Amino acid sequence: MYEQISHSLLNDILTQFKQPKGEDWQHFYTRLGANFYAIHSLFQHLYGQRADFKEQLGKLVNVLAQQYAQRAPHLRAKDLEREKNHDWFMQQKWVGMALYCQGFAGNLANMRDRLPYIQELGVNLVHIMPLCDCPELQNDGGYAVRDFRKVDARNGTMEDLEQLIAAMQQSDMLLTLDVVVNHTSDEHEWALKAKQGDQQYQDYYYMYPDRTLPDMFEAAMPEVFPEQAPGSFTLNPDTGKWVMTVFNHYQWDLNYSNPAVFIEMVDIVLFWANKGVDILRLDAVAFLWKKIGSSCQNEREAHLILQLLKDCCQVTAPGVIFIAEAIVAPTEIIKYFGEDAINAKECEIAYNATFMALLWDAVATKQTVLLTKGVEDLPEKLDRATWLNYVRCHDDIGLGFSDKAIIEAGFDPVSHRRFLVDYYTGRYPESNARGFAFGVNKKTGDARISGALASLAGLETALATQDQSAIENAMMTIILLHNLIMSFGGIPLIYYGDAVGTLNNDSYLQDENKMHDNRWVHRPTLDWEVMALRNEPGTVQQRLFSQIKQLIAIRKEISAFADLNNRELITLENPHLFAFHRFVQTGMHSKVVVVANFDTSPQSVPLQSFRQKGLFKGAVLTELYSGQQIIPESDFLTIPKLTAYWLST
Ligand code: GLC
């Protein structure tokens, strides 16, 4: 958009600007021109009241240019290619895995040797959990960063990472890395300077001389870690000031009402973009703006910060996309895609925390009423945006579906959530699950759940008692859940170890630094001798691995599984079944119906329920995963226990 005020300001900035050496600035200038109206408006909205507004905006443009100068030719070429093919990340060919490089392979150098395992499974997008330098002890698994531009020595060196990136690029694999945008470690250089009394750096954080403002903030702020880190402020003994620490006491929240913080973070984001990272996972984005009297989550300005970050990234590194890590209410999550796919865009990808929690609800209840309701209520997302569908990740499982959906599904919200926590912690009589309550809030009664996927699905208990039918049910549950993240629409993100049924690992209890955080029970160090059992026929590992591998391979062939807002929910009478229809205009398998049975007995449904929607017209259905031809008996379709069918007609 051309608008005179912003345009003449840009002219002023560019007149004083010394273009860094190097050729090919044409693309930079066209992108700057295209994005500058939005950059200016957002920057003005956020920082326009400051006397140094123009100077700060000049600094921002300078950062964009300096980082553009550093962008390697092959990454610039990729930017152009992705601009042409802007739907590239919505294709069904992508399947992801999230892993800690230490838990997965020991370090970054060894990761290269483990890439064949990832490829064998069919995974071609890898999210390596935070890698940056952080304190030895108080680091929240890497989410308390001490130096955003340095690889933590425990993971290896920047050179190891660069070699890994090169190897991944050669194999057409995408890399996702975190940028922990909301906070730093209290040992970060900025925090150290703030502790020494440097006002410039104290202004990078929320620091107050007494409890007046902290008390006002805390009155409306929910606690994120009520057990291990109650409250949202910590007294810093060096300065005698109270610092905002929403997460752990050693994670200092950055103050984005200061433009210097925003500009630093743009520089960091582009630094990683220039390393060749394809996707940046922006951590804890819901918390980016704090306002007294609010929950300090999902504030409008947090969205404006993300829009601004997106516009800036589009100038320098448009091929790089963002994942929003916002594990918030369903109606709030969707907003992190932005208000519009082109103007006011934020992150192209967001964690589908709602679907994840709903899947766990269906497993515990063996019913799909809430799952169907919750999915029905999911607002339609923007074009050019996609979900990250996952069954579990490195964090706890929050029961984040809405009370309204729970009530409409026929349950009472408080007792239903309590039931789920009891179920997954194995306290419920019929439950085989072996999870742990996380983040128990004594004041509100809320709790979340930790535990390895296989242990939550009942495999640990079943193996301990050698109950063959329970083992089978647990394995079928694991496959069922993976089946649905492959077919729902979006990028499936498998968690490392889950493809071979890795169980809870309680070694964290020996580590003083981890013992108070039971999320470590599901952050394993993989045992590659156990992993090798995936090649031994008949083992649990082999049976799970081969089925997940098959799901991935078939997903990639089904054109209807590309995520183009092409899903229609099918409401069925049978409360154990969950069904939806995926469709595209052309391509192989352009119409597929997914029907999942969460019960432990076979369940039937009249074919009429599908036929009235114009589906299943032919006499024979093909189940795409198994290749089996199904001739429905007497006008009913029967789905075996704990199974999902991918039906093509
Ligand atoms: C994100 C991470 C989580 C971490 C938190 C604070 O939610 O996923 O592991 O504890 O941010 O950085």
Side-chain angles (χ1 to χ4, degrees):
M1 184 188 297
Y2 175 77
E3 185 271 338
Q4 287 85 347
I5 298 175
S6 59
H7 194 75
S8 66
L9 188 55
L10 181 59
N11 278 340
D12 288 352
I13 292 173
L14 293 181
T15 332
Q16 291 164 25
F17 170 68
K18 284 194 202 71
Q19 181 181 304
K21 286 206 191 80
E23 295 145 33
D24 185 23
W25 278 81
Q26 175 206 336
H27 296 298
F28 175 78
Y29 288 119
T30 48
R31 288 174 192 140
L32 184 61
N35 283 277
F36 195 73
Y37 171 71
I39 292 177
H40 174 257
S41 322
L42 290 162
F43 207 76
Q44 181 156 47
H45 190 102
L46 292 160
Y47 309 117
Q49 76 294 357
R50 293 176 58 109
D52 63 350
F53 166 74
K54 199 171 153 185
E55 186 195 328
Q56 295 287 351
L57 188 58
K59 278 189 187 161
L60 177 62
V61 173
N62 198 46
V63 162
L64 302 184
Q66 296 300 338
Q67 290 290 2
Y68 184 75
Q70 304 290 320
R71 193 146 177 84
H74 73 283
L75 297 177
R76 290 185 185 187
K78 204 181 269 182
D79 289 335
L80 293 175
E81 192 186 302
R82 288 181 178 167
E83 276 176 339
K84 276 209 189 93
N85 177 20
H86 60 259
D87 283 350
W88 63 273
F89 58 94
M90 286 152 56
Q91 297 162 6
Q92 74 277 14
K93 76 178 224 189
W94 301 116
V95 177
M97 180 183 283
L99 53 88
Y100 286 94
C101 89
Q102 287 175 57
F104 182 74
N107 57 33
L108 286 168
N110 294 346
M111 268 281 314
R112 249 177 304 144
D113 303 333
R114 296 295 181 201
L115 289 182
Y117 163 83
I118 296 175
Q119 285 171 303
E120 184 188 337
L121 192 57
V123 165
N124 46 18
L125 180 163
V126 183
H127 169 206
I128 308 182
M129 304 290 295
L131 283 173
C132 290
D133 176 57
C134 56
E136 195 194 335
L137 297 177
Q138 302 190 321
N139 59 42
D140 191 20
Y143 285 103
V145 177
R146 186 163 57 189
D147 186 339
F148 285 107
R149 293 182 181 81
K150 191 172 161 208
V151 169
D152 193 282
R154 284 163 287 195
N155 296 319
T157 61
M158 189 60 92
E159 205 177 25
D160 295 333
L161 179 62
E162 282 163 359
Q163 286 177 9
L164 177 67
I165 293 175
M168 288 179 70
Q169 280 170 349
Q170 263 179 5
S171 316
D172 203 11
M173 293 174 101
L174 302 179
L175 175 63
T176 300
L177 289 186
D178 284 82
V179 179
V180 185
V181 285
N182 180 65
H183 43 258
T184 71
S185 152
D186 64 347
E187 293 185 22
H188 188 283
E189 186 194 352
W190 304 333
L192 296 180
K193 288 185 177 158
K195 285 181 190 175
Q196 285 157 11
D198 186 334
Q199 189 60 44
Q200 185 190 344
Y201 288 96
Q202 292 196 352
D203 290 346
Y204 273 39
Y205 300 97
Y206 296 87
M207 294 183 82
Y208 302 103
D210 57 41
R211 286 284 319 177
T212 317
L213 289 172
D215 284 344
M216 288 166 76
F217 269 113
E218 279 185 353
M221 287 171 89
E223 291 170 320
V224 179
F225 295 142
E227 294 163 303
Q228 75 220 51
S232 299
F233 284 84
T234 302
L235 182 63
N236 169 243
D238 304 296
T239 54
K241 292 192 176 181
W242 290 88
V243 188
M244 187 183 284
T245 53
V246 168
F247 292 89
N248 288 298
H249 68 84
Y250 51 82
Q251 289 166 300
W252 286 21
D253 284 67
L254 287 165
N255 185 349
Y256 278 88
S257 67
N258 178 355
V261 168
F262 177 78
I263 295 167
E264 296 265 21
M265 205 45 83
V266 170
D267 201 27
I268 291 163
V269 160
L270 295 176
F271 170 86
W272 286 106
N274 282 348
K275 286 281 167 212
V277 178
D278 300 282
I279 306 176
L280 290 168
R281 174 192 184 273
L282 306 181
D283 184 60
V285 287
F287 297 84
L288 288 181
W289 196 267
K290 319 295 198 292
K291 208 181 272 170
I292 289 176
S294 79
S295 67
C296 297
Q297 290 182 38
N298 307 313
E299 286 298 307
R300 168 138 179 81
E301 288 83 351
H303 289 285
L304 301 183
I305 295 278
L306 289 171
Q307 288 170 18
L308 187 53
L309 200 54
K310 177 84 277 182
D311 289 328
C312 291
C313 190
Q314 282 178 169
V315 173
T316 303
V320 173
I321 58 174
F322 294 160
I323 299 179
E325 194 258 341
I327 312 301
V328 291
T331 45
E332 294 296 337
I333 295 186
I334 199 110
K335 295 183 188 161
Y336 289 89
F337 291 126
E339 290 161 33
D340 178 283
I342 295 154
N343 300 311
K345 182 161 95 183
E346 296 179 24
C347 299
E348 289 83 353
I349 308 177
Y351 279 80
N352 198 347
T354 314
F355 186 53
M356 181 272 304
L358 289 165
L359 288 175
W360 287 109
D361 184 87
V363 169
T365 58
K366 301 187 176 56
Q367 301 212 357
T368 55
V369 196
L370 183 53
L371 171 59
T372 305
K373 188 82 212 94
V375 170
E376 204 169 68
D377 288 352
L378 267 183
E380 178 108 331
K381 64 179 166 50
L382 294 181
D383 289 342
R384 305 191 190 187
T386 195
W387 291 118
L388 204 57
N389 291 314
Y390 63 115
V391 184
R392 81 138 314 109
C393 67
H394 70 290
D395 278 331
D396 46 288
I397 296 171
L399 307 173
F401 18 76
S402 71
D403 283 0
K404 178 177 157 280
I406 302 181
I407 293 166
E408 283 170 8
F411 305 113
D412 166 65
V414 173
S415 54
H416 190 63
R417 288 207 174 87
R418 192 170 306 138
F419 155 74
L420 290 171
V421 175
D422 285 349
Y423 184 90
Y424 284 112
T425 52
R427 288 194 291 250
Y428 186 75
E430 286 161 38
S431 163
N432 262 345
R434 282 209 188 164
F436 300 88
F438 175 82
V440 179
N441 190 326
K442 297 225 169 68
K443 291 173 227 158
T444 61
D446 284 348
R448 284 115 70 185
I449 296 153
S450 286
L453 162 56
S455 297
L456 294 176
L459 188 60
E460 190 175 335
T461 310
L463 287 171
T465 53
Q466 275 303 304
D467 175 339
Q468 292 309 316
S469 112
I471 293 177
E472 185 177 309
N473 282 356
M475 295 207 326
M476 292 181 84
T477 304
I478 294 170
I479 300 303
L480 171 63
L481 293 168
H482 281 96
N483 178 306
L484 288 168
I485 61 166
M486 298 289 165
S487 53
F488 185 75
I491 302 170
L493 186 74
I494 300 175
Y495 188 58
Y496 77 118
D498 282 351
V500 293
T502 305
L503 303 175
N504 284 342
N505 183 328
D506 61 11
S507 60
Y508 77 101
L509 292 170
Q510 314 309 320
D511 183 336
E512 207 187 315
N513 189 42
K514 295 179 176 160
M515 66 202 316
H516 302 294
D517 185 344
N518 65 23
R519 290 177 299 173
W520 288 97
V521 79
H522 57 254
R523 296 172 177 178
T525 297
L526 297 185
D527 176 342
W528 283 90
E529 278 177 24
V530 174
M531 300 292 283
L533 295 176
R534 73 185 184 281
N535 298 319
E536 278 195 27
T539 57
V540 166
Q541 289 77 8
Q542 184 268 335
R543 287 160 69 197
L544 289 173
F545 186 87
S546 60
Q547 290 180 79
I548 292 177
K549 181 175 168 177
Q550 170 93 344
L551 282 172
I552 294 173
I554 311 268
R555 165 190 155 89
K556 291 182 182 174
E557 283 174 18
I558 300 179
S559 54
F561 284 176
D563 187 22
L564 305 164
N565 279 343
N566 50 341
R567 179 185 53 252
E568 195 189 346
L569 202 61
I570 305 173
T571 317
L572 300 174
E573 297 284 289
N574 187 321
H576 305 287
L577 299 179
F578 172 61
F580 52 88
H581 174 209
R582 304 292 320 275
F583 45 89
V584 280
Q585 294 294 332
T586 52
M588 197 146 97
H589 308 308
S590 59
K591 283 193 172 65
V592 176
V593 174
V594 178
V595 192
N597 175 10
F598 279 83
D599 197 33
T600 43
S601 321
Q603 293 293 327
S604 296
V605 59
L607 282 175
Q608 190 51 27
S609 312
F610 300 95
R611 290 201 173 123
Q612 68 197 13
K613 289 190 168 276
L615 301 162
F616 294 172
K617 290 208 181 108
V620 182
L621 305 174
T622 307
E623 203 290 300
L624 297 175
Y625 171 73
S626 58
Q628 193 193 344
Q629 303 268 300
I630 299 175
I631 304 172
E633 296 158 29
S634 62
D635 280 345
F636 275 88
L637 173 70
T638 302
I639 312 289
K641 68 173 180 179
L642 299 170
T643 296
Y645 276 171
W646 292 348
L647 297 166
S648 167
T649 53

